[in-house]
């Protein structure tokens, strides 16, 4: 047993952090917000160039074949600096879906492009009625043509294709690959509290849809995909939470109140210690998730829910309390605190919040006990 | 990273399991003997059973797995220790009364003792032949341990000790104790302390039980009247007692913290069984989504404790100093058990107020935990102390302004 990352991952982390510290600064982030840009294209290009996008993608499909243990390291660093890239949608989402369910041809057609960053993919599984289960799904594929609406879809405006869940003729759920440059597709961006990552409603009207995975196996595949994404996203959350902790600590050291550093007051010190406690506890669950993702599929349902639940909790606490520790300045647009609060909410919302994942965990435990 | 056994570890686990199978009975999940956290004063029979089990383990090489062989251990690895503990908890074993010795006094003697002191004290400690207690806290010195005033005065080759200790767990069945005293009242608070090991049968030591909120009496007050301690029982230099005490306290946190990583898991199995049999508003509680959500939340937290425990031990096995992870474990574990036991009692409806082995649900386990857990949040460094440790040592936040530093101890203000 070994419950820690190895030197390889530590080295990867150092390298990624260095690159991101230079390129993905919070100042740059502010600029992107003001400009309303879809993503930081320069950073995306650099990440591709350095091989960070293809870490989890096998070598025969243009990736580095380094597996999930290395992939999560990058996800965590991206979360730490709030990277403004389509990583979550394209790599944690679309690439995972194609690796999970794609045929040899589909993998050849998509994975090399995703790894090189030239192709951007996304996941479209949720609908305006608030459902993504088979019974509530309205998107439908008839004779190979998809009709329906998905919302919210991350990075839809810049994505080349989406992995879409829809009912087939027999009412069973299947996954499809849908190119987004077809006539009959409308992408309408939606307003959200997170001002960087762009979300959209996507309407499909009789567009070509290519089956991904077995006919009727969509529910099962989506379930597995959500587990995989939950673990990758949990590392982004962990990175963000860690950054909030460091921001709060730094501010508590630098700000003087009543003649002494803010951090000497236990009301503040203990709050920051609690941030640390929750983050470290969540980190352990995330490690377990990374390991399950890498090499223990039978543990995935439980491990994913454990990582997700703890990471959502830790990030919410850290982002909110960091803002609070900053006082009035924390509430301003100028300060960086609110951007973490908003990213935290985005990552919470994307895959459904804790209530959903706790129910999923409960079911995983029941299944294990049976 | 790999959460599964290597082939060697699997072999070790099989060996441990084979030995445990031959020497102990697997726990019967339907007849929990009860957790009994601080519930009753330990009777001599229980102590004898605990000692017999420890001796059996030691003789077969399963006690103090990470200790060197010459001191009564196995010379094994941290991972082997984790594996043995994981296996042992599946069996019915007597309560462990050796935590203060093996978890705290042992590592302190290992770090600060002379070779003679190690050879003399460690092997019988590992075998459970000699049980140890911790004589640290006093009426005026708990979290602020360095405020202690039990006085030690040197007379030739001996020291004469006078004063009072309090909350001394297990003093009534311990043969030896670790003791911090003040040998210099003119020195600043942290400089005038001297640390001893003391034979509890020495003339002048009087042990009186203190009854706890559980109704039991596991701790005591201990009075010292002209107790003579040979200088050979001093650990480390005169006046250096604080740094020795810090070693003990760090190991206490480690041992409670990492010991804590599995306690909620044991209670969780019971919680699930309870939810399966309890009813809420006319329907099985297990079908209620609030109940399911809460149970999943507890499970998420207890897994994070378990995994953090292993992660901490992994760091240490790589040669890192025990850091503040054990503060995290102790802090989070106490809060989790308190919430879990309250939730379980709520699930029991009006019967949640029952107490004792004949209670309708879980043989009264959750009431036992509920009554015992406040102590977990106080003893061995309270929640607030752990938060200070994390904030100051891990995160580098400054200490509060202190008025007790740099002045002679006798001039430090007291409430009295
Ligand atoms: C069941 C049990 C067994 C024990 N066994 C032993 C034993 O075997 N040997 C032994 O020596 N001792 C033992 N203790 C004593 C234990 O270590 C002390 O109770 C503990 O250190 C707290 O000290 P205190 O009781 O004096 O409380 P105090 O230190 O007076 O604390 C009172 C309150 O103040 C808070 N507080 C204290 N310092 C600070 C601070 N700096 N900032 C903010 N808040 C603070 C505490 O968290 C607590 O809430 C035991 C205690 C219990 C309950």
């Amino acid at each position: 047993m070994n419950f820690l990352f190895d030197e390889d991952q530590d080295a990867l982390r150092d390298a990624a952090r260095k690159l991101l510290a230079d390129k993905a600064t919070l100042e740059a982030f502010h600029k992107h917000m003001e400009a309303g840009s879809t993503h930081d294209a320069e950073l995306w290009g650099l990440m591709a160039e350095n091989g960070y996008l293809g870490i989890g993608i096998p070598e025969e499909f243009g990736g580095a074949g380094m597996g999930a243990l290395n992939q999560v390291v990058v996800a965590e660093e991206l979360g730490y600096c709030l990277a403004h890239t389509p990583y979550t949608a394209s790599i944690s989402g679309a690439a995972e879906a194609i690796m999970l369910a794609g045929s040899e041809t589909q993998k050849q057609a998509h994975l090399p492009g995703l790894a090189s960053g030239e192709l951007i993919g996304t996941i479209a599984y949720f609908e305006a009625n608030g459902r993504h289960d088979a019974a509530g799904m309205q998107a439908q594929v008839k004779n190979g043509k998809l009709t329906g609406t998905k919302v919210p879809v991350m990075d839809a405006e810049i994505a080349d294709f989406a992995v879409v869940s829809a009912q087939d003729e027999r009412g069973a759920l299947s996954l499809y690959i849908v190119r987004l440059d077809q006539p009959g597709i409308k992408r309408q961006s939606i307003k959200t509290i997170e001002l960087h990552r762009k979300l959209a409603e996507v309407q499909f009207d009789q567009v070509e849809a290519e089956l991904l995975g077995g006919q009727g196996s969509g529910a099962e595949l989506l379930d597995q995909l959500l587990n995989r994404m939950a673990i990758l996203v949990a590392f982004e959350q962990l990175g963000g939470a860690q950054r909030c902790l460091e921001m709060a600590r730094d501010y508590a050291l630098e700000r003087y109140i009543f003649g002494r550093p803010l951090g000497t007051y236990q009301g503040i010190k203990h709050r920051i210690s609690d941030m640390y406690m929750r983050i470290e506890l969540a980190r352990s669950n995330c490690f377990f998730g990374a390991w399950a993702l890498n090499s223990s599929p039978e543990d995935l349902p439980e491990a994913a829910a454990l990582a997700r639940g703890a990471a959502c909790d830790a990030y919410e606490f850290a982002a909110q309390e960091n803002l609070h520790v900053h006082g009035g300045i924390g509430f301003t647009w100028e300060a960086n605190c609110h951007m973490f609060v908003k990213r935290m909410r985005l990552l919470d919302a994307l895959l459904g919040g804790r209530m959903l994942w706790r129910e999923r965990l409960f079911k995983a435990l029941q299944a294990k006990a049976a | 990273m790999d959460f599964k056994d290597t082939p060697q570890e699997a072999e070790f686990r099989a060996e441990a399991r084979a030995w445990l199978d031959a020497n102990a009975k697997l726990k019967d999940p339907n007849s929990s003997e009860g957790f009994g956290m601080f519930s009753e004063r330990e009777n001599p029979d229980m102590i004898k059973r605990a000692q017999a089990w420890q001796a059996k383990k030691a003789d077969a090489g399963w006690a103090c797995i990470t200790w060197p062989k010459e001191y009564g251990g196995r010379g094994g690895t941290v991972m082997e220790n984790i594996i043995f503990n994981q296996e042992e908890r599946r069996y019915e074993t007597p309560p462990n009364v050796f935590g203060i010795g093996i978890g705290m006094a042992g590592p302190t003697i290992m770090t600060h003792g002379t070779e003679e002191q190690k050879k003399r004290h460690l092997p019988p400690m590992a075998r459970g032949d000699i049980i140890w207690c911790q004589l640290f806290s006093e009426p005026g010195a708990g979290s602020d341990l360095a405020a202690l005033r039990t006085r030690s005065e040197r007379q030739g080759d001996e020291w004469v000790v006078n004063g009072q200790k309090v909350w001394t767990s297990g003093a009534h069945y311990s043969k030896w104790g670790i003791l911090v005293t003040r040998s210099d009242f003119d020195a600043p608070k942290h400089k005038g302390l001297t640390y001893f090991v003391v034979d509890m049968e020495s003339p002048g030591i009087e042990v009186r039980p203190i009854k706890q909120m559980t109704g039991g009496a596991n701790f005591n007050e201990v009075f010292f009247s002209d107790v003579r301690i040979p200088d050979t029982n001093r650990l480390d230099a005169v006046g250096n007692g604080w740094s020795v005490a810090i070693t003990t306290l760090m190991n206490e946190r480690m041992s409670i913290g990492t010991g804590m990583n599995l306690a909620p898991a044991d209670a969780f199995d019971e919680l699930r069984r309870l939810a399966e049999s309890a009813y809420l508003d006319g329907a099985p509680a297990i079908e209620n989504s609030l109940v399911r959500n809460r149970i999943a939340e507890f499970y998420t937290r207890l897994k994070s404790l378990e995994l953090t425990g292993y992660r901490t031990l992994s760091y240490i096995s790589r040669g890192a100093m025990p850091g503040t992870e054990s503060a995290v474990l102790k802090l989070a574990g106490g809060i989790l058990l308190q919430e879990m036991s309250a939730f379980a009692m709520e699930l029991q409806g009006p019967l949640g107020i029952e107490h004792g082995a004949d209670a309708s649900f879980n043989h009264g386990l959750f009431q036992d935990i509920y009554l015992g857990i406040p102590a977990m949040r106080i003893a061995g460094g309270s929640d607030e102390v752990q938060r200070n440790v994390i904030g100051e040592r891990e995160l580098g936040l400054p200490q509060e302004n202190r008025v007790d530093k740099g002045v002679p101890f006798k001039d430090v203000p007291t409430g009295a």
Side-chain angles (χ1 to χ4, degrees), chain B residues 77-97:
Chain B
T77 65
V78 169
M79 262 337 134
E80 288 173 343
N81 196 33
I82 293 179
I83 292 170
F84 187 79
N85 289 341
Q86 285 175 338
E87 294 303 319
E88 189 186 14
R89 77 183 256 267
R90 299 167 47 238
Y91 294 81
E92 260 175 41
T93 55
N96 181 346
V97 293

Side-chain angles (χ1 to χ4, degrees), chain B residues 91-396:
Chain B
Y91 294 81
E92 260 175 41
T93 55
N96 181 346
V97 293
F98 310 104
I100 292 175
I102 292 169
M104 295 154 61
T108 307
I109 294 171
M110 209 97 75
T111 309
H112 297 274
T114 61
E115 193 51 40
E116 205 183 314
Q117 287 169 331
K118 293 185 210 177
K119 288 248 166 66
R120 171 166 181 208
H121 293 297
L122 296 177
M125 181 189 286
R127 199 169 179 277
D129 294 340
I130 300 218
I131 302 177
W132 288 68
C133 64
Q134 177 195 21
L135 301 149
F136 278 31
S137 304
E138 297 181 6
S143 306
D144 183 10
L145 176 63
L148 63 89
R149 359 187 104 243
T150 291
R151 178 187 296 268
S152 58
E153 279 168 301
R154 188 161 189 157
Q155 287 183 6
D157 285 344
E158 286 185 334
W159 293 77
V160 179
V161 175
N162 282 287
Q164 184 199 342
K165 295 290 175 178
V166 75
W167 322 130
T168 318
S169 302
H172 49 299
Y173 54 75
S174 296
K175 174 84 178 63
W176 279 78
I178 41 179
L179 170 71
V180 199
T181 63
R182 185 167 302 280
S183 47
D184 185 352
F185 281 69
D186 296 322
K189 189 168 167 179
H190 297 83
K191 301 279 183 218
L193 305 178
T194 299
Y195 195 119
F196 299 96
V197 293
V198 58
D199 184 341
M200 291 298 287
E201 281 161 21
S202 312
I205 294 184
E206 188 195 347
V207 175
R208 292 190 205 147
I210 306 177
K211 194 165 175 177
Q212 299 145 184
M213 70 174 272
T214 54
N218 311 77
F219 59 26
N220 306 273
E221 16 179 24
V222 180
F223 295 89
F224 288 78
S225 324
D226 289 332
V227 176
R228 306 188 89 80
I229 301 180
D231 188 52
T232 48
N233 286 348
R234 171 168 51 79
L235 276 194
D236 214 312
V238 176
N240 208 25
W242 183 244
S243 84
V244 187
I246 290 287
T247 302
T248 310
L249 296 178
M250 265 184 20
N251 281 286
E252 174 170 33
R253 201 166 352 108
M254 260 299 287
S255 124
I256 300 180
T258 53
M260 201 65 198
N261 85 321
L262 293 177
D266 287 336
F268 182 77
D269 294 340
E270 290 278 337
L271 178 63
R272 251 175 63 183
R273 253 196 301 283
L274 169 63
E276 277 159 15
S277 61
Y279 274 72
L280 190 62
D281 197 22
I286 198 87
E287 289 167 13
N288 184 301
S289 55
L290 283 175
V291 171
R292 297 157 74 98
N293 242 268
R294 208 71 216 286
I295 287 180
E297 184 212 324
F298 287 137
Y299 186 73
T300 305
R301 288 161 65 187
L302 74 87
K303 272 314 251 196
S304 71
L305 278 173
E306 185 180 327
L307 296 167
T308 303
Y310 298 148
R311 194 153 64 87
T312 306
L313 293 166
S314 301
Y315 279 125
I316 292 166
S317 74
R318 282 189 187 179
M321 280 291 282
T324 52
E325 296 89 352
S326 41
V328 165
L329 290 173
K330 183 174 182 292
L331 180 55
I335 297 169
L336 175 58
L337 274 175
Q338 195 159 47
E339 284 181 36
M340 247 169 80
S341 55
F343 173 74
M345 285 159 68
E346 200 176 322
L347 269 185
Q348 298 171 1
L351 287 169
I353 198 67
E354 282 187 307
H355 188 208
D358 295 333
S360 307
F361 291 104
N362 308 88
H363 307 277
L365 169 75
F366 290 107
Q367 287 76 4
D368 271 350
I369 296 179
Y370 190 80
L371 289 181
I373 205 66
M376 291 299 300
R377 296 186 49 201
I378 295 167
S382 71
D383 287 4
E384 285 66 34
V385 168
Q386 305 301 341
R387 288 190 172 101
N388 278 349
V389 165
I390 295 170
E392 289 163 19
R393 307 241 181 94
E394 182 67 41
L395 302 171

Side-chain angles (χ1 to χ4, degrees), chain A residues 299-347:
Chain A
D299 286 309
L300 263 180
E302 179 184 332
L306 286 173
R308 172 109 182 123
C312 284
D313 276 341
Y315 201 2
E316 174 163 58
F317 185 78
Q320 288 292 6
E321 297 308 317
N322 173 44
L323 188 151
H324 183 78
V325 164
H326 279 75
I329 200 112
F331 190 64
T332 64
W333 187 261
E334 285 303 306
N336 296 321
C337 305
H338 68 109
M339 302 193 297
F340 286 87
V341 172
K342 292 167 180 174
R343 176 64 63 86
M344 174 273 287
R345 271 291 127 204
L346 172 68
L347 297 180

